[in-house]
Amino acid sequence: TIDPAVRAARQAHCVMTFRIYRDGTVKNMPLFQSSGNLSMDNSAQRALLSSNPMPPLPSDYSGSYVDVTFDFNLALTR
């Protein structure tokens, strides 16, 4: 869970990068940009871990993986 004060301020933002392999396996999940708050950063990492595996890559995609950058931004929550 994210620290309630951080959630209420709705200003935390972190960026994660990760790789999705052909079979949907997610690996290589470094924190690209910290929010400055450990609970927010850990929550973003847990979200990625819980989404593993993702659906497989489309059969017409010629690569063996795709690199993704994802913004976790509390300012966009309702």
Side-chain angles (χ1 to χ4, degrees):
T1 59
I2 300 172
D3 179 318
V6 171
R7 186 181 290 278
R10 294 174 54 171
Q11 293 182 355
H13 171 243
C14 70
V15 179
M16 300 287 298
T17 61
F18 55 99
R19 180 169 283 179
I20 304 172
Y21 287 89
R22 178 156 294 290
D23 66 354
T25 301
V26 177
K27 293 185 180 179
N28 305 333
M29 295 180 262
L31 180 63
F32 183 76
Q33 177 186 332
S34 175
S35 68
N37 181 276
L38 187 60
S39 67
M40 173 69 177
D41 295 347
N42 287 342
S43 181
Q45 187 170 37
R46 279 192 310 273
L48 289 179
L49 289 170
S50 69
S51 69
N52 192 12
M54 292 192 175
L57 297 178
S59 59
D60 61 345
Y61 180 71
S62 62
S64 57
Y65 62 85
V66 63
D67 288 326
V68 179
T69 301
F70 195 89
D71 288 286
F72 290 86
N73 191 342
L74 289 182
L76 302 176
T77 61
R78 295 178 187 207

